[in-house]
Amino acid sequence: QVQLVESGGGSVQAGGSLRLSCAASGNTNSIVRMTWFRQDAGKEREGVASYWFGGDLSAYADSVKGRFTVSQDRGRNTIYIQMSSLKPEDTGMYYCAARGSSSRPWWPSSSYDYWGQGTQVTVSS
C-alpha cells in the first residue's frame, strides 16, 4: 500500500504562483509514475502533470505547458508542482496519484492505484 498526502494549496490572484507537494509513504518502491490531476466543480478530473521515475521524464497537459513544472525528490518520496502564471481556469481540487505501471498513457485517471485526498487551489481574476 502507498499513502499520498498533498499540501500547498491556497488562494491566489491571477498571474500568481503556488507550489504543491505530494509526499508518499508505505511501499514507495513500487511507484513508477506520479501524476497531478485536478478537478473543478462540474468538470471531469484531468491530468495536469506527470513524472516517470523510470525514465526521469515529465509530461504536461497542453493547458499548463510552459507554466507548470513538476519535480521530484526521490529521497523524500515527494513530488512537487510549481505553478506559475496561474489563471482562473486553473482553479480546482488538485490530487496526487501514483501507480506501478509505466506501460500505459499517463493521463487516464483510471490507470492509477493510489490517490491523495487533494488540496484546493483557487485562482481569482
Side-chain angles (χ1 to χ4, degrees), residues 45-72:
R45 188 170 296 189
E46 64 169 337
V48 176
S50 183
Y51 187 84
W52 176 35
F53 290 95
D56 192 23
L57 294 173
S58 55
Y60 300 90
D62 288 343
S63 58
V64 306
K65 281 181 181 176
R67 301 188 298 120
F68 291 11
T69 302
V70 65
S71 60
Q72 58 84 25

PDB file of all heavy atoms in Angstrom, residues 45-72:
ATOM      1  N   ARG A  45     -12.216  14.988 -14.007  1.00  0.00           N
ATOM      2  CA  ARG A  45     -10.854  15.053 -13.491  1.00  0.00           C
ATOM      3  C   ARG A  45      -9.890  14.963 -14.664  1.00  0.00           C
ATOM      4  O   ARG A  45     -10.036  14.109 -15.541  1.00  0.00           O
ATOM      5  CB  ARG A  45     -10.623  13.897 -12.513  1.00  0.00           C
ATOM      6  CG  ARG A  45      -9.325  13.968 -11.772  1.00  0.00           C
ATOM      7  CD  ARG A  45      -9.280  12.947 -10.659  1.00  0.00           C
ATOM      8  NE  ARG A  45     -10.290  13.220  -9.632  1.00  0.00           N
ATOM      9  CZ  ARG A  45     -10.342  12.573  -8.472  1.00  0.00           C
ATOM     10  NH1 ARG A  45      -9.451  11.632  -8.186  1.00  0.00           N
ATOM     11  NH2 ARG A  45     -11.290  12.855  -7.620  1.00  0.00           N
ATOM     12  N   GLU A  46      -8.905  15.851 -14.699  1.00  0.00           N
ATOM     13  CA  GLU A  46      -7.972  15.879 -15.815  1.00  0.00           C
ATOM     14  C   GLU A  46      -6.538  15.797 -15.316  1.00  0.00           C
ATOM     15  O   GLU A  46      -6.194  16.355 -14.260  1.00  0.00           O
ATOM     16  CB  GLU A  46      -8.156  17.153 -16.648  1.00  0.00           C
ATOM     17  CG  GLU A  46      -7.844  18.431 -15.917  1.00  0.00           C
ATOM     18  CD  GLU A  46      -7.778  19.642 -16.832  1.00  0.00           C
ATOM     19  OE1 GLU A  46      -7.534  19.470 -18.052  1.00  0.00           O
ATOM     20  OE2 GLU A  46      -7.939  20.768 -16.336  1.00  0.00           O
ATOM     21  N   GLY A  47      -5.716  15.113 -16.096  1.00  0.00           N
ATOM     22  CA  GLY A  47      -4.300  15.043 -15.783  1.00  0.00           C
ATOM     23  C   GLY A  47      -3.624  16.359 -16.103  1.00  0.00           C
ATOM     24  O   GLY A  47      -3.892  16.957 -17.145  1.00  0.00           O
ATOM     25  N   VAL A  48      -2.778  16.800 -15.198  1.00  0.00           N
ATOM     26  CA  VAL A  48      -2.117  18.086 -15.353  1.00  0.00           C
ATOM     27  C   VAL A  48      -0.630  17.915 -15.662  1.00  0.00           C
ATOM     28  O   VAL A  48      -0.122  18.465 -16.631  1.00  0.00           O
ATOM     29  CB  VAL A  48      -2.295  18.935 -14.080  1.00  0.00           C
ATOM     30  CG1 VAL A  48      -1.523  20.242 -14.187  1.00  0.00           C
ATOM     31  CG2 VAL A  48      -3.767  19.203 -13.821  1.00  0.00           C
ATOM     32  N   ALA A  49       0.052  17.146 -14.832  1.00  0.00           N
ATOM     33  CA  ALA A  49       1.492  16.961 -14.999  1.00  0.00           C
ATOM     34  C   ALA A  49       1.892  15.642 -14.360  1.00  0.00           C
ATOM     35  O   ALA A  49       1.336  15.251 -13.340  1.00  0.00           O
ATOM     36  CB  ALA A  49       2.265  18.100 -14.356  1.00  0.00           C
ATOM     37  N   SER A  50       2.871  15.006 -14.977  1.00  0.00           N
ATOM     38  CA  SER A  50       3.243  13.660 -14.537  1.00  0.00           C
ATOM     39  C   SER A  50       4.752  13.500 -14.521  1.00  0.00           C
ATOM     40  O   SER A  50       5.468  14.118 -15.327  1.00  0.00           O
ATOM     41  CB  SER A  50       2.628  12.638 -15.483  1.00  0.00           C
ATOM     42  OG  SER A  50       2.901  11.317 -15.076  1.00  0.00           O
ATOM     43  N   TYR A  51       5.218  12.651 -13.605  1.00  0.00           N
ATOM     44  CA  TYR A  51       6.652  12.350 -13.538  1.00  0.00           C
ATOM     45  C   TYR A  51       6.848  10.850 -13.560  1.00  0.00           C
ATOM     46  O   TYR A  51       6.235  10.117 -12.780  1.00  0.00           O
ATOM     47  CB  TYR A  51       7.285  12.938 -12.275  1.00  0.00           C
ATOM     48  CG  TYR A  51       8.778  12.788 -12.278  1.00  0.00           C
ATOM     49  CD1 TYR A  51       9.584  13.715 -12.939  1.00  0.00           C
ATOM     50  CD2 TYR A  51       9.387  11.691 -11.662  1.00  0.00           C
ATOM     51  CE1 TYR A  51      10.947  13.567 -12.988  1.00  0.00           C
ATOM     52  CE2 TYR A  51      10.754  11.537 -11.712  1.00  0.00           C
ATOM     53  CZ  TYR A  51      11.527  12.470 -12.371  1.00  0.00           C
ATOM     54  OH  TYR A  51      12.894  12.324 -12.423  1.00  0.00           O
ATOM     55  N   TRP A  52       7.702  10.399 -14.497  1.00  0.00           N
ATOM     56  CA  TRP A  52       8.032   8.987 -14.625  1.00  0.00           C
ATOM     57  C   TRP A  52       9.410   8.757 -14.034  1.00  0.00           C
ATOM     58  O   TRP A  52      10.424   9.179 -14.569  1.00  0.00           O
ATOM     59  CB  TRP A  52       8.004   8.572 -16.102  1.00  0.00           C
ATOM     60  CG  TRP A  52       8.421   7.159 -16.347  1.00  0.00           C
ATOM     61  CD1 TRP A  52       8.197   6.088 -15.547  1.00  0.00           C
ATOM     62  CD2 TRP A  52       9.132   6.671 -17.480  1.00  0.00           C
ATOM     63  NE1 TRP A  52       8.726   4.955 -16.113  1.00  0.00           N
ATOM     64  CE2 TRP A  52       9.305   5.269 -17.293  1.00  0.00           C
ATOM     65  CE3 TRP A  52       9.641   7.262 -18.625  1.00  0.00           C
ATOM     66  CZ2 TRP A  52       9.961   4.479 -18.228  1.00  0.00           C
ATOM     67  CZ3 TRP A  52      10.296   6.477 -19.555  1.00  0.00           C
ATOM     68  CH2 TRP A  52      10.462   5.096 -19.345  1.00  0.00           C
ATOM     69  N   PHE A  53       9.440   8.064 -12.909  1.00  0.00           N
ATOM     70  CA  PHE A  53      10.701   7.824 -12.221  1.00  0.00           C
ATOM     71  C   PHE A  53      11.619   6.908 -13.027  1.00  0.00           C
ATOM     72  O   PHE A  53      12.831   7.040 -12.983  1.00  0.00           O
ATOM     73  CB  PHE A  53      10.446   7.218 -10.844  1.00  0.00           C
ATOM     74  CG  PHE A  53       9.825   8.183  -9.878  1.00  0.00           C
ATOM     75  CD1 PHE A  53       8.454   8.215  -9.701  1.00  0.00           C
ATOM     76  CD2 PHE A  53      10.609   9.061  -9.146  1.00  0.00           C
ATOM     77  CE1 PHE A  53       7.868   9.100  -8.817  1.00  0.00           C
ATOM     78  CE2 PHE A  53      10.042   9.944  -8.256  1.00  0.00           C
ATOM     79  CZ  PHE A  53       8.668   9.973  -8.097  1.00  0.00           C
ATOM     80  N   GLY A  54      11.022   5.998 -13.794  1.00  0.00           N
ATOM     81  CA  GLY A  54      11.834   5.051 -14.548  1.00  0.00           C
ATOM     82  C   GLY A  54      12.711   5.713 -15.598  1.00  0.00           C
ATOM     83  O   GLY A  54      13.798   5.237 -15.903  1.00  0.00           O
ATOM     84  N   GLY A  55      12.214   6.794 -16.174  1.00  0.00           N
ATOM     85  CA  GLY A  55      12.957   7.468 -17.214  1.00  0.00           C
ATOM     86  C   GLY A  55      13.353   8.884 -16.882  1.00  0.00           C
ATOM     87  O   GLY A  55      13.922   9.588 -17.721  1.00  0.00           O
ATOM     88  N   ASP A  56      13.032   9.323 -15.640  1.00  0.00           N
ATOM     89  CA  ASP A  56      13.331  10.700 -15.244  1.00  0.00           C
ATOM     90  C   ASP A  56      12.735  11.688 -16.242  1.00  0.00           C
ATOM     91  O   ASP A  56      13.408  12.630 -16.712  1.00  0.00           O
ATOM     92  CB  ASP A  56      14.844  10.905 -15.111  1.00  0.00           C
ATOM     93  CG  ASP A  56      15.184  12.218 -14.423  1.00  0.00           C
ATOM     94  OD1 ASP A  56      14.327  12.744 -13.681  1.00  0.00           O
ATOM     95  OD2 ASP A  56      16.305  12.730 -14.643  1.00  0.00           O
ATOM     96  N   LEU A  57      11.478  11.449 -16.596  1.00  0.00           N
ATOM     97  CA  LEU A  57      10.813  12.268 -17.591  1.00  0.00           C
ATOM     98  C   LEU A  57       9.523  12.847 -17.025  1.00  0.00           C
ATOM     99  O   LEU A  57       8.837  12.204 -16.228  1.00  0.00           O
ATOM    100  CB  LEU A  57      10.498  11.435 -18.836  1.00  0.00           C
ATOM    101  CG  LEU A  57      11.694  10.920 -19.637  1.00  0.00           C
ATOM    102  CD1 LEU A  57      11.209   9.966 -20.728  1.00  0.00           C
ATOM    103  CD2 LEU A  57      12.472  12.082 -20.242  1.00  0.00           C
ATOM    104  N   SER A  58       9.207  14.045 -17.476  1.00  0.00           N
ATOM    105  CA  SER A  58       7.963  14.675 -17.080  1.00  0.00           C
ATOM    106  C   SER A  58       7.094  14.908 -18.311  1.00  0.00           C
ATOM    107  O   SER A  58       7.589  14.958 -19.441  1.00  0.00           O
ATOM    108  CB  SER A  58       8.233  15.995 -16.365  1.00  0.00           C
ATOM    109  OG  SER A  58       9.028  16.844 -17.163  1.00  0.00           O
ATOM    110  N   ALA A  59       5.805  15.038 -18.076  1.00  0.00           N
ATOM    111  CA  ALA A  59       4.837  15.270 -19.146  1.00  0.00           C
ATOM    112  C   ALA A  59       3.771  16.225 -18.636  1.00  0.00           C
ATOM    113  O   ALA A  59       3.477  16.236 -17.427  1.00  0.00           O
ATOM    114  CB  ALA A  59       4.209  13.952 -19.591  1.00  0.00           C
ATOM    115  N   TYR A  60       3.206  16.977 -19.553  1.00  0.00           N
ATOM    116  CA  TYR A  60       2.261  18.015 -19.154  1.00  0.00           C
ATOM    117  C   TYR A  60       1.058  18.054 -20.089  1.00  0.00           C
ATOM    118  O   TYR A  60       1.166  17.770 -21.279  1.00  0.00           O
ATOM    119  CB  TYR A  60       2.938  19.383 -19.190  1.00  0.00           C
ATOM    120  CG  TYR A  60       4.123  19.496 -18.281  1.00  0.00           C
ATOM    121  CD1 TYR A  60       5.400  19.171 -18.730  1.00  0.00           C
ATOM    122  CD2 TYR A  60       3.970  19.900 -16.965  1.00  0.00           C
ATOM    123  CE1 TYR A  60       6.501  19.253 -17.885  1.00  0.00           C
ATOM    124  CE2 TYR A  60       5.058  19.990 -16.115  1.00  0.00           C
ATOM    125  CZ  TYR A  60       6.316  19.665 -16.583  1.00  0.00           C
ATOM    126  OH  TYR A  60       7.399  19.749 -15.742  1.00  0.00           O
ATOM    127  N   ALA A  61      -0.063  18.466 -19.533  1.00  0.00           N
ATOM    128  CA  ALA A  61      -1.220  18.778 -20.355  1.00  0.00           C
ATOM    129  C   ALA A  61      -0.927  20.052 -21.139  1.00  0.00           C
ATOM    130  O   ALA A  61      -0.193  20.932 -20.664  1.00  0.00           O
ATOM    131  CB  ALA A  61      -2.453  18.969 -19.478  1.00  0.00           C
ATOM    132  N   ASP A  62      -1.495  20.151 -22.326  1.00  0.00           N
ATOM    133  CA  ASP A  62      -1.249  21.332 -23.162  1.00  0.00           C
ATOM    134  C   ASP A  62      -1.638  22.625 -22.443  1.00  0.00           C
ATOM    135  O   ASP A  62      -1.002  23.662 -22.630  1.00  0.00           O
ATOM    136  CB  ASP A  62      -2.024  21.212 -24.469  1.00  0.00           C
ATOM    137  CG  ASP A  62      -1.442  20.162 -25.393  1.00  0.00           C
ATOM    138  OD1 ASP A  62      -0.272  19.753 -25.194  1.00  0.00           O
ATOM    139  OD2 ASP A  62      -2.160  19.739 -26.316  1.00  0.00           O
ATOM    140  N   SER A  63      -2.662  22.545 -21.629  1.00  0.00           N
ATOM    141  CA  SER A  63      -3.178  23.743 -20.969  1.00  0.00           C
ATOM    142  C   SER A  63      -2.212  24.338 -19.944  1.00  0.00           C
ATOM    143  O   SER A  63      -2.384  25.490 -19.541  1.00  0.00           O
ATOM    144  CB  SER A  63      -4.511  23.433 -20.278  1.00  0.00           C
ATOM    145  OG  SER A  63      -4.350  22.390 -19.338  1.00  0.00           O
ATOM    146  N   VAL A  64      -1.207  23.565 -19.523  1.00  0.00           N
ATOM    147  CA  VAL A  64      -0.291  24.069 -18.490  1.00  0.00           C
ATOM    148  C   VAL A  64       1.158  24.123 -18.936  1.00  0.00           C
ATOM    149  O   VAL A  64       2.027  24.571 -18.188  1.00  0.00           O
ATOM    150  CB  VAL A  64      -0.392  23.228 -17.196  1.00  0.00           C
ATOM    151  CG1 VAL A  64      -1.839  23.149 -16.719  1.00  0.00           C
ATOM    152  CG2 VAL A  64       0.191  21.839 -17.388  1.00  0.00           C
ATOM    153  N   LYS A  65       1.427  23.680 -20.150  1.00  0.00           N
ATOM    154  CA  LYS A  65       2.809  23.685 -20.640  1.00  0.00           C
ATOM    155  C   LYS A  65       3.385  25.101 -20.617  1.00  0.00           C
ATOM    156  O   LYS A  65       2.727  26.054 -21.032  1.00  0.00           O
ATOM    157  CB  LYS A  65       2.865  23.129 -22.065  1.00  0.00           C
ATOM    158  CG  LYS A  65       2.803  21.618 -22.136  1.00  0.00           C
ATOM    159  CD  LYS A  65       2.882  21.125 -23.573  1.00  0.00           C
ATOM    160  CE  LYS A  65       2.804  19.612 -23.625  1.00  0.00           C
ATOM    161  NZ  LYS A  65       2.793  19.118 -25.037  1.00  0.00           N
ATOM    162  N   GLY A  66       4.596  25.188 -20.128  1.00  0.00           N
ATOM    163  CA  GLY A  66       5.257  26.477 -20.025  1.00  0.00           C
ATOM    164  C   GLY A  66       4.913  27.244 -18.759  1.00  0.00           C
ATOM    165  O   GLY A  66       5.563  28.250 -18.460  1.00  0.00           O
ATOM    166  N   ARG A  67       3.913  26.788 -18.028  1.00  0.00           N
ATOM    167  CA  ARG A  67       3.513  27.467 -16.786  1.00  0.00           C
ATOM    168  C   ARG A  67       3.742  26.604 -15.549  1.00  0.00           C
ATOM    169  O   ARG A  67       4.024  27.126 -14.474  1.00  0.00           O
ATOM    170  CB  ARG A  67       2.044  27.875 -16.855  1.00  0.00           C
ATOM    171  CG  ARG A  67       1.699  28.796 -17.993  1.00  0.00           C
ATOM    172  CD  ARG A  67       0.270  29.323 -17.888  1.00  0.00           C
ATOM    173  NE  ARG A  67      -0.724  28.273 -17.953  1.00  0.00           N
ATOM    174  CZ  ARG A  67      -1.600  28.014 -16.989  1.00  0.00           C
ATOM    175  NH1 ARG A  67      -1.624  28.733 -15.884  1.00  0.00           N
ATOM    176  NH2 ARG A  67      -2.483  27.040 -17.139  1.00  0.00           N
ATOM    177  N   PHE A  68       3.580  25.308 -15.698  1.00  0.00           N
ATOM    178  CA  PHE A  68       3.726  24.381 -14.579  1.00  0.00           C
ATOM    179  C   PHE A  68       4.985  23.547 -14.776  1.00  0.00           C
ATOM    180  O   PHE A  68       5.331  23.184 -15.893  1.00  0.00           O
ATOM    181  CB  PHE A  68       2.534  23.438 -14.478  1.00  0.00           C
ATOM    182  CG  PHE A  68       1.237  24.074 -14.061  1.00  0.00           C
ATOM    183  CD1 PHE A  68       1.079  25.458 -14.003  1.00  0.00           C
ATOM    184  CD2 PHE A  68       0.153  23.273 -13.722  1.00  0.00           C
ATOM    185  CE1 PHE A  68      -0.106  26.037 -13.620  1.00  0.00           C
ATOM    186  CE2 PHE A  68      -1.050  23.835 -13.347  1.00  0.00           C
ATOM    187  CZ  PHE A  68      -1.184  25.221 -13.300  1.00  0.00           C
ATOM    188  N   THR A  69       5.642  23.235 -13.679  1.00  0.00           N
ATOM    189  CA  THR A  69       6.830  22.383 -13.711  1.00  0.00           C
ATOM    190  C   THR A  69       6.736  21.358 -12.587  1.00  0.00           C
ATOM    191  O   THR A  69       6.525  21.724 -11.422  1.00  0.00           O
ATOM    192  CB  THR A  69       8.110  23.208 -13.530  1.00  0.00           C
ATOM    193  OG1 THR A  69       8.192  24.205 -14.555  1.00  0.00           O
ATOM    194  CG2 THR A  69       9.337  22.310 -13.612  1.00  0.00           C
ATOM    195  N   VAL A  70       6.901  20.106 -12.959  1.00  0.00           N
ATOM    196  CA  VAL A  70       6.880  19.038 -11.957  1.00  0.00           C
ATOM    197  C   VAL A  70       8.316  18.621 -11.652  1.00  0.00           C
ATOM    198  O   VAL A  70       9.158  18.569 -12.555  1.00  0.00           O
ATOM    199  CB  VAL A  70       6.028  17.837 -12.435  1.00  0.00           C
ATOM    200  CG1 VAL A  70       6.626  17.168 -13.656  1.00  0.00           C
ATOM    201  CG2 VAL A  70       5.807  16.850 -11.314  1.00  0.00           C
ATOM    202  N   SER A  71       8.582  18.374 -10.397  1.00  0.00           N
ATOM    203  CA  SER A  71       9.912  17.933  -9.976  1.00  0.00           C
ATOM    204  C   SER A  71       9.759  16.895  -8.886  1.00  0.00           C
ATOM    205  O   SER A  71       8.666  16.680  -8.375  1.00  0.00           O
ATOM    206  CB  SER A  71      10.752  19.116  -9.495  1.00  0.00           C
ATOM    207  OG  SER A  71      10.140  19.754  -8.396  1.00  0.00           O
ATOM    208  N   GLN A  72      10.863  16.253  -8.537  1.00  0.00           N
ATOM    209  CA  GLN A  72      10.768  15.183  -7.554  1.00  0.00           C
ATOM    210  C   GLN A  72      11.984  15.139  -6.657  1.00  0.00           C
ATOM    211  O   GLN A  72      13.059  15.612  -7.018  1.00  0.00           O
ATOM    212  CB  GLN A  72      10.590  13.837  -8.267  1.00  0.00           C
ATOM    213  CG  GLN A  72      11.707  13.480  -9.257  1.00  0.00           C
ATOM    214  CD  GLN A  72      12.919  12.838  -8.654  1.00  0.00           C
ATOM    215  OE1 GLN A  72      12.837  12.220  -7.598  1.00  0.00           O
ATOM    216  NE2 GLN A  72      14.074  12.972  -9.304  1.00  0.00           N
TER     217      GLN A  72
END
